Amino acid sequence: MSPFQPLQLPNGASIPNRIAKAAMEENMADYQQAPSADLLRLYRAWAEGGSGLLLTGNVMIDGRAMTGPGGVVLENDSQLDKFREWARVGRAQGAQFWMQLNHPGRQMQANLGQQTVAPSAVAIELGSFSKLFPLPKALDEAEIAELIRRFVRSAELAEQAGFTGVQIHAAHGYLLSQFLSPITNRRTDNWGGSLENRARLLLEVVKAVRAKVSPSFCVSVKLNSADFQRGGFDAADAKRVVEMLGELDVDLVELSGGSYEAPAMQGDARDGRTLAREAYFLEFADEIAAVARMPLMVTGGIRRLPVVEKVLESRVAMAGIATALAIDPALPAHWRQDRERSAELPPIRWKRKALASLAYMATVKFQLKRLAQGAQPKPLVSPLRALIGEQLRIARRTRQYKRWMAARSA
Protein backbone atom coordinates (compact mmCIF):
# COMPACT_ATOMS: atom_id res chain seq x y z
CA MET A 1 0.00 0.00 0.00
CA SER A 2 1.31 3.44 -0.94
CA PRO A 3 1.88 5.88 1.94
CA PHE A 4 0.27 8.49 -0.32
CA GLN A 5 -3.02 6.66 -0.74
CA PRO A 6 -6.05 8.30 0.96
CA LEU A 7 -7.67 6.68 3.98
CA GLN A 8 -11.45 6.59 4.28
CA LEU A 9 -12.60 6.76 7.90
CA PRO A 10 -15.72 5.09 9.37
CA ASN A 11 -17.63 8.38 9.51
CA GLY A 12 -17.00 9.05 5.80
CA ALA A 13 -14.20 11.60 6.23
CA SER A 14 -11.03 11.11 4.18
CA ILE A 15 -7.38 11.61 5.15
CA PRO A 16 -5.33 12.57 2.05
CA ASN A 17 -2.45 10.17 2.81
CA ARG A 18 -1.28 7.63 5.38
CA ILE A 19 1.32 9.81 7.14
CA ALA A 20 0.35 11.67 10.31
CA LYS A 21 2.19 14.31 12.23
CA ALA A 22 1.75 12.81 15.70
CA ALA A 23 1.33 14.93 18.82
CA MET A 24 4.31 16.55 20.49
CA GLU A 25 4.06 18.81 23.52
CA GLU A 26 4.97 22.28 22.28
CA ASN A 27 4.27 24.42 25.41
CA MET A 28 3.83 27.46 23.17
CA ALA A 29 0.64 29.01 24.47
CA ASP A 30 0.39 32.79 24.74
CA TYR A 31 -0.09 34.49 28.11
CA GLN A 32 -3.79 33.62 28.05
CA GLN A 33 -2.98 29.91 27.50
CA ALA A 34 -4.33 30.21 23.94
CA PRO A 35 -2.52 29.48 20.63
CA SER A 36 0.37 31.91 20.13
CA ALA A 37 1.83 33.38 16.95
CA ASP A 38 4.82 31.03 17.38
CA LEU A 39 2.49 28.03 17.53
CA LEU A 40 0.76 29.10 14.34
CA ARG A 41 4.11 29.45 12.52
CA LEU A 42 5.05 25.95 13.67
CA TYR A 43 1.84 24.45 12.34
CA ARG A 44 2.15 26.34 9.10
CA ALA A 45 5.46 24.52 8.53
CA TRP A 46 3.80 21.16 9.22
CA ALA A 47 0.76 21.97 7.10
CA GLU A 48 3.06 22.74 4.18
CA GLY A 49 5.12 19.61 4.83
CA GLY A 50 2.77 17.09 3.26
CA SER A 51 1.34 15.09 6.19
CA GLY A 52 -2.23 13.94 5.61
CA LEU A 53 -3.19 14.32 9.27
CA LEU A 54 -1.96 16.86 11.81
CA LEU A 55 -2.52 16.17 15.50
CA THR A 56 -2.01 19.01 17.95
CA GLY A 57 0.04 18.64 21.09
CA ASN A 58 -1.83 18.44 24.38
CA VAL A 59 -4.78 20.82 24.63
CA MET A 60 -5.91 20.86 28.23
CA ILE A 61 -9.58 20.52 29.15
CA ASP A 62 -9.02 22.23 32.53
CA GLY A 63 -6.72 25.17 33.19
CA ARG A 64 -6.00 23.80 36.66
CA ALA A 65 -4.56 20.59 35.20
CA MET A 66 -1.54 21.08 32.96
CA THR A 67 1.07 18.75 31.49
CA GLY A 68 3.33 21.79 31.34
CA PRO A 69 3.18 25.51 32.15
CA GLY A 70 3.01 26.74 28.55
CA GLY A 71 0.19 24.44 27.52
CA VAL A 72 -2.85 25.47 25.49
CA VAL A 73 -6.18 25.38 27.36
CA LEU A 74 -9.63 25.17 25.76
CA GLU A 75 -12.38 25.18 28.38
CA ASN A 76 -14.58 28.07 27.18
CA ASP A 77 -15.06 30.30 24.14
CA SER A 78 -13.21 33.37 25.45
CA GLN A 79 -10.23 32.89 23.09
CA LEU A 80 -12.03 31.00 20.34
CA ASP A 81 -10.91 33.35 17.54
CA LYS A 82 -7.29 32.32 18.18
CA PHE A 83 -8.30 28.66 17.89
CA ARG A 84 -10.12 29.46 14.65
CA GLU A 85 -6.90 30.90 13.23
CA TRP A 86 -4.98 27.82 14.38
CA ALA A 87 -7.50 25.57 12.63
CA ARG A 88 -7.31 27.68 9.48
CA VAL A 89 -3.50 27.41 9.37
CA GLY A 90 -3.51 23.65 9.99
CA ARG A 91 -6.11 22.94 7.29
CA ALA A 92 -4.73 25.36 4.68
CA GLN A 93 -3.09 22.66 2.54
CA GLY A 94 -5.91 20.12 2.80
CA ALA A 95 -4.82 18.01 5.76
CA GLN A 96 -7.17 16.73 8.42
CA PHE A 97 -6.45 18.69 11.63
CA TRP A 98 -7.42 17.10 14.93
CA MET A 99 -7.12 18.54 18.42
CA GLN A 100 -5.66 16.27 21.09
CA LEU A 101 -7.64 16.64 24.33
CA ASN A 102 -5.95 15.70 27.59
CA HIS A 103 -5.91 15.82 31.37
CA PRO A 104 -2.60 14.98 33.10
CA GLY A 105 -4.02 13.48 36.28
CA ARG A 106 -1.10 12.86 38.62
CA GLN A 107 1.50 13.75 35.93
CA MET A 108 1.50 17.47 36.81
CA GLN A 109 4.48 18.97 38.58
CA ALA A 110 4.13 20.32 42.11
CA ASN A 111 5.67 23.71 41.28
CA LEU A 112 2.56 24.68 39.29
CA GLY A 113 0.76 24.95 42.61
CA GLN A 114 -2.37 22.92 41.83
CA GLN A 115 -3.93 19.89 43.46
CA THR A 116 -3.31 16.84 41.28
CA VAL A 117 -5.96 14.15 40.90
CA ALA A 118 -5.95 10.50 39.85
CA PRO A 119 -8.14 7.41 40.09
CA SER A 120 -6.31 6.52 43.32
CA ALA A 121 -3.82 8.25 45.61
CA VAL A 122 -0.73 6.59 44.10
CA ALA A 123 2.46 8.65 43.85
CA ILE A 124 4.77 8.72 40.82
CA GLU A 125 7.96 6.68 41.27
CA LEU A 126 10.88 8.42 39.59
CA GLY A 127 13.65 7.95 42.12
CA SER A 128 15.15 11.27 43.15
CA PHE A 129 12.74 13.06 40.77
CA SER A 130 9.64 11.69 42.53
CA LYS A 131 9.42 14.77 44.75
CA LEU A 132 8.66 16.89 41.69
CA PHE A 133 5.16 15.37 41.61
CA PRO A 134 2.74 15.62 44.56
CA LEU A 135 0.67 12.75 45.90
CA PRO A 136 -2.60 12.95 43.93
CA LYS A 137 -6.10 13.07 45.38
CA ALA A 138 -8.45 10.22 44.41
CA LEU A 139 -11.35 11.54 42.31
CA ASP A 140 -14.88 11.23 43.64
CA GLU A 141 -18.02 10.53 41.60
CA ALA A 142 -18.94 14.20 41.10
CA GLU A 143 -15.43 15.05 39.91
CA ILE A 144 -15.48 12.16 37.43
CA ALA A 145 -18.79 13.43 36.02
CA GLU A 146 -17.28 16.91 35.71
CA LEU A 147 -14.28 15.49 33.82
CA ILE A 148 -16.58 13.89 31.25
CA ARG A 149 -18.40 17.22 30.81
CA ARG A 150 -15.07 18.99 30.27
CA PHE A 151 -13.95 16.59 27.55
CA VAL A 152 -17.29 17.13 25.81
CA ARG A 153 -17.15 20.92 26.09
CA SER A 154 -13.62 21.08 24.69
CA ALA A 155 -14.59 18.81 21.79
CA GLU A 156 -17.61 20.99 20.97
CA LEU A 157 -15.42 24.10 21.01
CA ALA A 158 -12.82 22.41 18.78
CA GLU A 159 -15.52 21.74 16.20
CA GLN A 160 -16.80 25.32 16.46
CA ALA A 161 -13.25 26.58 15.87
CA GLY A 162 -12.94 24.61 12.62
CA PHE A 163 -10.89 21.58 13.59
CA THR A 164 -11.95 18.42 11.75
CA GLY A 165 -11.69 16.07 14.73
CA VAL A 166 -10.39 15.39 18.21
CA GLN A 167 -8.10 12.79 19.69
CA ILE A 168 -8.88 11.71 23.24
CA HIS A 169 -5.55 11.04 24.97
CA ALA A 170 -5.69 7.78 26.93
CA ALA A 171 -1.97 6.94 26.75
CA HIS A 172 1.43 7.92 28.20
CA GLY A 173 0.33 7.73 31.84
CA TYR A 174 -2.08 10.69 31.71
CA LEU A 175 -5.42 10.58 33.52
CA LEU A 176 -7.44 8.28 31.26
CA SER A 177 -4.42 5.99 31.02
CA GLN A 178 -4.16 6.04 34.82
CA PHE A 179 -7.72 4.72 35.03
CA LEU A 180 -6.82 1.90 32.62
CA SER A 181 -3.74 0.73 34.54
CA PRO A 182 -4.02 -1.50 37.64
CA ILE A 183 -0.84 0.13 38.95
CA THR A 184 -2.52 3.53 39.27
CA ASN A 185 -6.18 2.49 39.54
CA ARG A 186 -6.78 0.70 42.84
CA ARG A 187 -10.43 1.64 43.15
CA THR A 188 -13.06 -0.82 44.34
CA ASP A 189 -16.09 0.97 42.88
CA ASN A 190 -17.51 0.96 39.33
CA TRP A 191 -14.43 2.79 38.02
CA GLY A 192 -11.85 0.20 39.16
CA GLY A 193 -11.08 -3.48 39.53
CA SER A 194 -11.96 -5.36 36.33
CA LEU A 195 -10.71 -4.09 32.97
CA GLU A 196 -14.31 -3.29 32.03
CA ASN A 197 -14.51 -0.96 35.04
CA ARG A 198 -11.07 0.54 34.48
CA ALA A 199 -12.01 1.30 30.86
CA ARG A 200 -15.36 2.80 31.85
CA LEU A 201 -14.18 6.42 32.01
CA LEU A 202 -12.57 6.30 28.56
CA LEU A 203 -15.69 4.71 27.07
CA GLU A 204 -18.00 7.22 28.75
CA VAL A 205 -15.89 10.11 27.47
CA VAL A 206 -15.94 8.75 23.91
CA LYS A 207 -19.70 8.15 23.98
CA ALA A 208 -20.43 11.59 25.43
CA VAL A 209 -18.20 13.37 22.89
CA ARG A 210 -19.63 11.43 19.95
CA ALA A 211 -23.16 12.31 21.05
CA LYS A 212 -22.46 16.06 20.98
CA VAL A 213 -20.36 16.60 17.85
CA SER A 214 -21.56 16.25 14.27
CA PRO A 215 -21.31 12.88 12.45
CA SER A 216 -18.69 14.27 10.05
CA PHE A 217 -16.44 15.37 12.94
CA CYS A 218 -13.80 12.71 13.65
CA VAL A 219 -13.44 11.17 17.12
CA SER A 220 -10.24 9.23 17.74
CA VAL A 221 -8.39 7.76 20.73
CA LYS A 222 -4.71 7.51 21.64
CA LEU A 223 -4.13 4.30 23.59
CA ASN A 224 -1.12 2.58 25.10
CA SER A 225 -0.34 -0.76 23.49
CA ALA A 226 1.18 -1.44 26.93
CA ASP A 227 2.51 0.50 29.94
CA PHE A 228 5.82 -1.41 29.82
CA GLN A 229 5.74 -1.74 33.61
CA ARG A 230 5.31 -5.07 35.36
CA GLY A 231 1.74 -5.40 36.61
CA GLY A 232 0.47 -2.56 34.42
CA PHE A 233 -1.83 -2.23 31.42
CA ASP A 234 -0.59 -4.83 28.91
CA ALA A 235 -1.10 -5.83 25.28
CA ALA A 236 -3.97 -8.19 26.13
CA ASP A 237 -5.71 -5.30 27.93
CA ALA A 238 -5.14 -3.01 24.96
CA LYS A 239 -6.63 -5.60 22.61
CA ARG A 240 -9.75 -5.88 24.76
CA VAL A 241 -10.14 -2.07 25.05
CA VAL A 242 -9.91 -1.74 21.26
CA GLU A 243 -12.70 -4.32 21.04
CA MET A 244 -14.78 -2.20 23.43
CA LEU A 245 -14.07 0.94 21.41
CA GLY A 246 -15.21 -0.96 18.33
CA GLU A 247 -18.72 -0.90 19.75
CA LEU A 248 -18.62 2.90 19.61
CA ASP A 249 -18.27 5.32 16.70
CA VAL A 250 -14.49 5.71 16.85
CA ASP A 251 -12.78 6.76 13.63
CA LEU A 252 -9.14 5.92 14.44
CA VAL A 253 -7.09 4.49 17.31
CA GLU A 254 -3.45 5.51 17.64
CA LEU A 255 -1.26 2.99 19.47
CA SER A 256 1.70 4.21 21.49
CA GLY A 257 3.06 3.18 24.88
CA GLY A 258 4.67 4.09 28.19
CA SER A 259 4.40 6.85 30.79
CA TYR A 260 6.65 9.23 32.72
CA GLU A 261 7.82 6.25 34.77
CA ALA A 262 8.54 4.06 31.71
CA PRO A 263 9.00 6.33 28.65
CA ALA A 264 8.53 3.64 25.99
CA MET A 265 7.39 6.39 23.59
CA GLN A 266 11.11 7.30 23.56
CA GLY A 267 12.15 3.67 23.04
CA ASP A 268 12.74 2.86 26.73
CA ALA A 269 10.82 -0.08 28.27
CA ARG A 270 11.01 -0.80 32.00
CA ASP A 271 9.63 -4.34 32.04
CA GLY A 272 12.57 -6.14 30.47
CA ARG A 273 11.36 -5.97 26.87
CA THR A 274 13.57 -4.69 24.07
CA LEU A 275 11.82 -2.33 21.68
CA ALA A 276 12.63 -1.97 18.00
CA ARG A 277 14.67 1.05 16.97
CA GLU A 278 11.80 2.28 14.78
CA ALA A 279 8.04 1.63 14.85
CA TYR A 280 8.38 0.58 18.50
CA PHE A 281 4.83 -0.67 18.87
CA LEU A 282 4.22 -2.37 15.51
CA GLU A 283 4.30 -5.95 16.84
CA PHE A 284 1.59 -5.06 19.38
CA ALA A 285 -0.45 -3.26 16.72
CA ASP A 286 -0.48 -6.26 14.42
CA GLU A 287 -2.10 -8.38 17.16
CA ILE A 288 -4.60 -5.67 18.06
CA ALA A 289 -5.52 -5.11 14.40
CA ALA A 290 -7.04 -8.59 14.34
CA VAL A 291 -9.96 -7.34 16.47
CA ALA A 292 -10.08 -3.65 15.48
CA ARG A 293 -13.16 -2.38 13.68
CA MET A 294 -11.59 1.02 13.09
CA PRO A 295 -8.30 1.98 11.37
CA LEU A 296 -5.18 1.83 13.54
CA MET A 297 -2.20 4.16 13.59
CA VAL A 298 1.20 3.34 15.07
CA THR A 299 3.53 6.04 16.42
CA GLY A 300 6.98 5.66 17.94
CA GLY A 301 10.41 6.31 16.45
CA ILE A 302 9.44 6.23 12.74
CA ARG A 303 11.80 8.34 10.65
CA ARG A 304 12.33 6.54 7.28
CA LEU A 305 10.01 5.83 4.36
CA PRO A 306 10.80 2.06 4.23
CA VAL A 307 9.62 1.81 7.85
CA VAL A 308 6.40 3.65 6.95
CA GLU A 309 5.90 1.13 4.16
CA LYS A 310 6.57 -1.75 6.56
CA VAL A 311 3.91 -0.37 8.91
CA LEU A 312 1.38 -0.11 6.11
CA GLU A 313 2.16 -3.63 4.87
CA SER A 314 0.86 -4.92 8.19
CA ARG A 315 -2.77 -4.42 9.21
CA VAL A 316 -2.06 -0.82 10.30
CA ALA A 317 -3.64 1.99 8.27
CA MET A 318 -1.45 4.96 9.23
CA ALA A 319 2.06 5.80 10.40
CA GLY A 320 2.41 8.53 13.00
CA ILE A 321 5.65 10.50 13.03
CA ALA A 322 6.73 12.88 15.78
CA THR A 323 10.42 13.68 16.42
CA ALA A 324 11.46 13.29 12.79
CA LEU A 325 8.98 16.04 11.84
CA ALA A 326 10.49 18.31 14.48
CA ILE A 327 13.76 18.01 12.57
CA ASP A 328 12.35 18.03 9.05
CA PRO A 329 8.71 19.20 8.94
CA ALA A 330 8.54 18.56 5.18
CA LEU A 331 9.68 14.95 5.40
CA PRO A 332 6.49 13.53 3.76
CA ALA A 333 6.85 15.94 0.84
CA HIS A 334 10.52 14.98 0.45
CA TRP A 335 9.63 11.28 0.50
CA ARG A 336 7.58 11.75 -2.63
CA GLN A 337 10.90 12.56 -4.34
CA ASP A 338 13.67 10.89 -2.28
CA ARG A 339 13.16 7.56 -0.51
CA GLU A 340 16.47 7.77 1.37
CA ARG A 341 15.75 10.91 3.32
CA SER A 342 15.67 10.52 7.13
CA ALA A 343 15.68 12.71 10.22
CA GLU A 344 16.74 11.79 13.73
CA LEU A 345 18.32 13.07 16.92
CA PRO A 346 21.52 11.48 18.26
CA PRO A 347 20.81 9.09 21.17
CA ILE A 348 21.50 10.35 24.69
CA ARG A 349 23.52 7.75 26.65
CA TRP A 350 23.51 9.34 30.09
CA LYS A 351 23.57 6.91 33.01
CA ARG A 352 20.61 8.53 34.78
CA LYS A 353 17.74 7.47 32.57
CA ALA A 354 15.22 9.92 34.01
CA LEU A 355 17.60 12.82 33.33
CA ALA A 356 18.35 11.48 29.84
CA SER A 357 14.60 11.35 29.17
CA LEU A 358 14.24 15.00 30.20
CA ALA A 359 17.19 15.96 28.00
CA TYR A 360 15.69 14.13 25.03
CA MET A 361 12.40 15.98 25.40
CA ALA A 362 14.32 19.24 25.74
CA THR A 363 16.23 18.61 22.49
CA VAL A 364 12.92 17.98 20.70
CA LYS A 365 11.42 21.19 22.10
CA PHE A 366 14.58 23.05 21.06
CA GLN A 367 13.84 22.05 17.44
CA LEU A 368 10.17 23.06 17.74
CA LYS A 369 11.14 26.46 19.10
CA ARG A 370 13.48 27.08 16.16
CA LEU A 371 10.82 26.08 13.65
CA ALA A 372 8.33 28.38 15.38
CA GLN A 373 10.76 31.26 14.97
CA GLY A 374 11.29 30.56 11.28
CA ALA A 375 14.78 29.10 11.78
CA GLN A 376 16.22 25.74 10.73
CA PRO A 377 16.35 22.93 13.30
CA LYS A 378 19.69 21.98 14.90
CA PRO A 379 19.60 18.23 15.58
CA LEU A 380 23.19 18.23 16.88
CA VAL A 381 22.47 20.69 19.67
CA SER A 382 24.12 19.77 22.97
CA PRO A 383 21.55 17.88 25.10
CA LEU A 384 22.89 19.68 28.18
CA ARG A 385 22.44 23.08 26.53
CA ALA A 386 18.92 22.16 25.43
CA LEU A 387 18.05 20.87 28.91
CA ILE A 388 19.31 23.98 30.69
CA GLY A 389 17.52 26.24 28.22
CA GLU A 390 14.28 24.28 28.60
CA GLN A 391 14.47 24.40 32.40
CA LEU A 392 14.91 28.18 32.29
CA ARG A 393 11.96 28.47 29.91
CA ILE A 394 9.83 26.25 32.13
CA ALA A 395 10.67 28.41 35.15
CA ARG A 396 9.61 31.55 33.26
CA ARG A 397 6.41 29.94 31.98
CA THR A 398 5.63 28.59 35.45
CA ARG A 399 5.70 32.13 36.86
CA GLN A 400 3.44 33.27 34.01
CA TYR A 401 1.03 30.39 34.59
CA LYS A 402 0.77 31.21 38.29
CA ARG A 403 -0.04 34.83 37.45
CA TRP A 404 -2.74 33.62 35.03
CA MET A 405 -4.23 31.37 37.67
CA ALA A 406 -4.16 34.16 40.26
CA ALA A 407 -5.99 36.49 37.84
CA ARG A 408 -8.63 33.80 37.23
CA SER A 409 -9.15 33.39 40.97
CA ALA A 410 -9.45 37.13 41.44
Side-chain angles (χ1 to χ4, degrees), residues 6-78:
L7 174 64
Q8 193 83 9
L9 298 176
N11 72 340
S14 179
I15 299 177
N17 62 55
R18 304 302 180 98
I19 300 168
K21 177 258 148 193
M24 288 174 277
E25 188 173 20
E26 307 98 0
N27 296 119
M28 288 185 192
D30 65 15
Y31 289 151
Q32 298 298 318
Q33 307 303 136
S36 66
D38 277 358
L39 193 63
L40 267 58
R41 277 192 292 271
L42 178 60
Y43 275 84
R44 185 172 291 111
W46 280 324
E48 293 170 353
S51 296
L53 169 63
L54 303 181
L55 285 154
T56 72
N58 291 314
V59 173
M60 313 317 301
I61 63 168
D62 186 342
R64 300 165 300 178
M66 308 289 291
T67 56
V72 173
V73 177
L74 182 58
E75 55 186 352
N76 58 51
D77 61 3
S78 63

Side-chain angles (χ1 to χ4, degrees), residues 93-111:
Q93 304 302 319
Q96 286 273 340
F97 192 20
W98 298 354
M99 182 182 292
Q100 186 185 79
L101 302 180
N102 196 11
H103 188 296
R106 67 176 190 158
Q107 289 187 166
M108 179 177 179
Q109 291 197 22
N111 63 0

Side-chain angles (χ1 to χ4, degrees), residues 302-377:
I302 300 170
R303 56 183 180 270
R304 295 179 297 129
L305 182 59
V307 178
V308 172
E309 292 170 335
K310 180 182 175 183
V311 167
L312 298 178
E313 284 166 7
S314 69
R315 289 179 285 189
V316 175
M318 290 201 72
I321 303 173
T323 303
L325 292 180
I327 301 164
D328 185 352
L331 200 54
H334 295 315
W335 281 340
R336 287 184 181 269
Q337 309 298 326
D338 179 7
R339 289 175 55 85
E340 299 302 317
R341 193 161 183 133
S342 180
E344 62 183 301
L345 293 172
I348 300 172
R349 307 289 189 193
W350 297 356
K351 289 182 179 179
R352 296 183 67 183
K353 288 191 174 182
L355 198 60
S357 177
L358 287 173
Y360 180 84
M361 290 187 286
T363 58
V364 174
K365 288 183 180 179
F366 180 88
Q367 316 307 323
L368 299 181
K369 192 167 185 295
R370 289 185 63 83
L371 285 173
Q373 294 171 343
Q376 291 298 309

Side-chain angles (χ1 to χ4, degrees), residues 63-66 108-117 134 401-402 405-406 409:
R64 300 165 300 178
M66 308 289 291
M108 179 177 179
Q109 291 197 22
N111 63 0
L112 293 179
Q114 303 301 312
Q115 170 73 63
T116 58
V117 296
Y401 170 74
K402 288 181 173 179
M405 285 299 296
S409 299

Side-chain angles (χ1 to χ4, degrees), residues 10 168 170-171 180 195-196 198-200 202-203 206 219-226 233-256 281 283-298 315-317:
I168 296 163
L180 288 168
L195 179 59
E196 286 71 22
R198 287 183 277 121
R200 189 182 305 277
L202 170 59
L203 300 177
V206 170
V219 177
S220 67
V221 172
K222 185 166 188 170
L223 184 72
N224 272 359
S225 56
F233 184 80
D234 62 21
D237 292 336
K239 190 173 181 179
R240 178 67 188 119
V241 171
V242 168
E243 285 184 304
M244 296 179 201
L245 290 170
E247 301 294 327
L248 310 178
D249 294 326
V250 173
D251 295 297
L252 182 82
V253 170
E254 176 186 354
L255 294 172
S256 187
F281 311 112
E283 62 179 284
F284 301 97
D286 194 52
E287 295 176 23
I288 293 167
V291 301
R293 296 186 183 180
M294 74 294 286
L296 297 182
M297 179 171 108
V298 168
R315 289 179 285 189
V316 175

